[in-house]
Amino acid sequence: GTIVELLLEDGIDGGKLLSRFRDCAGYLVVFSRSIHKCDVGGIDSKPRSFTWKPEHILENIALGDVIAPAGRHRALVTVGQGRLRSLSPLAPFVVTLSGHHS
């Protein structure tokens, strides 16, 4: 794993910076080629974990859970040439190919 520690210049609000990073971390693990789990913590905050474990339903299409600022939601992603090409949030109730619903 990798640990990142940020040294902030005077006048930078570390709480706001960490909050913004937390808001984006759920998408980071989806769009990254190799980072599929990210734990974010801070001195004054409870650690939060973001994970991307897609279910490949067709060769270039995967289904997975994304943790976004508004909460967790299912998303359909298309992949091409080893890269994520698009992310489409799904309706709150979706029947997947395995017969489970969310």
Side-chain angles (χ1 to χ4, degrees):
T2 301
I3 296 175
V4 176
E5 181 179 359
L6 298 175
L7 300 175
L8 302 176
E9 295 178 10
D10 290 338
I12 303 286
D13 184 344
K16 281 185 179 180
L17 182 65
L18 187 59
S19 177
R20 180 70 179 131
F21 183 80
R22 233 186 234 117
D23 287 349
C24 298
Y27 297 106
L28 166 74
V29 296
V30 174
F31 284 94
S32 172
R33 282 187 179 189
S34 59
I35 300 171
H36 300 293
K37 183 173 191 281
C38 179
D39 297 317
V40 180
I43 294 172
D44 300 331
S45 61
K46 184 173 123 180
R48 190 156 179 210
S49 185
F50 301 88
T51 306
W52 174 246
K53 294 181 182 177
E55 177 183 343
H56 293 274
I57 56 177
L58 293 172
E59 183 178 343
N60 294 327
I61 298 176
L63 183 66
D65 292 322
V66 176
I67 300 173
R72 179 182 300 267
H73 60 85
R74 299 289 275 169
L76 190 68
V77 297
T78 58
V79 181
Q81 299 176 343
R83 294 188 179 131
L84 184 70
R85 294 293 184 204
S86 67
L87 177 115
S88 303
L90 299 176
F93 181 84
V94 176
V95 177
T96 67
L97 296 179
S98 63
H100 296 94
H101 61 83
S102 56

